[in-house]
Amino acid sequence: MSDRIYNVLFLCTGNSARSILAEAAMNKLGAGRFRAFSAGSFPKGEVHPMTLELLSSLHYPVEGLRSKSWDEFTGPDAPQLDFIFTVCDNAAGETCPIWPGRPVSAHWGIDDPAAVEGEGQREAFKAALRYLSNRISLFLALPHESHDRMALKSKLREIGREEGATTEASIDAD
């Protein structure tokens, strides 16, 4: 097993719910082998309160989680990214910046829990975290060092079609 730490970026348009949930889940489940970040193409500027409430209630670290632009990951001081996952269909359809280092990318779209209002919102956030955690667990089980780029990309697309995938994710032919 390699001592290498892989950097992973989760993208969503607003960077207030799904991508933040994914960042927190990857940092917890990746146990030091992976360092996760999140960003948005049009960040809302604040994390959705239910995101922080759910993560806190499940004992995920929430310190430092913030809504930020993907521009923070394109400059010379940005971490070298190994993997990029879009978690909303809007972000998957946008023209992304040129990411230095040719990170492997895939679309893992799930429905926006922040779009659910009222009584069902907490359950929608719990489902989103469950879907993302399942994908992350499958991703973590891959032999990252031994897969060639094309095989790895294919596996990542398969993971994006797991339970909870949006229509765009399930037909992704990239």
Side-chain angles (χ1 to χ4, degrees), residues 6 10 29 31-32 47 56-57 60 64 71 73 75 84 87 108 125-126 145-146 151-152 171-172:
Y6 293 94
F10 291 96
L29 298 172
V47 178
S56 293
S57 74
Y60 282 74
D71 292 338
F73 297 91
I84 297 176
V87 293
W108 288 0
F125 271 84
K126 285 169 69 174
E145 299 86 14
S146 63
L152 189 56
I171 61 172
D172 176 25

Side-chain angles (χ1 to χ4, degrees), residues 9-102:
L9 178 62
F10 291 96
L11 295 176
C12 199
T13 304
N15 188 222
S16 70
R18 291 168 285 188
S19 52
I20 299 281
L21 291 169
E23 175 185 2
M26 177 65 82
N27 281 329
K28 184 173 184 175
L29 298 172
R33 286 184 43 223
F34 293 83
R35 182 175 40 220
F37 307 93
S38 68
S41 52
F42 296 96
K44 295 193 184 260
E46 62 185 23
V47 178
H48 192 286
M50 184 62 72
T51 302
L52 296 174
E53 181 183 314
L54 176 62
L55 291 171
S56 293
S57 74
L58 297 172
H59 308 289
Y60 282 74
V62 295
E63 178 128 356
L65 294 177
R66 62 185 178 86
S67 178
K68 59 204 156 296
S69 172
W70 62 15
D71 292 338
E72 288 189 26
F73 297 91
T74 61
D77 295 333
Q80 181 75 31
L81 300 170
D82 298 294
F83 300 95
I84 297 176
F85 300 107
T86 52
V87 293
C88 74
D89 294 342
N90 288 343
E94 293 175 339
T95 303
C96 292
I98 304 292
W99 305 107
R102 293 185 53 222

Side-chain angles (χ1 to χ4, degrees), residues 112-135:
D112 185 3
V116 176
E117 295 183 15
E119 195 173 305
Q121 188 178 63
R122 183 171 178 78
E123 287 306 311
F125 271 84
K126 285 169 69 174
L129 180 59
R130 185 177 68 251
Y131 296 146
L132 290 165
S133 294
N134 288 344
R135 285 168 174 74

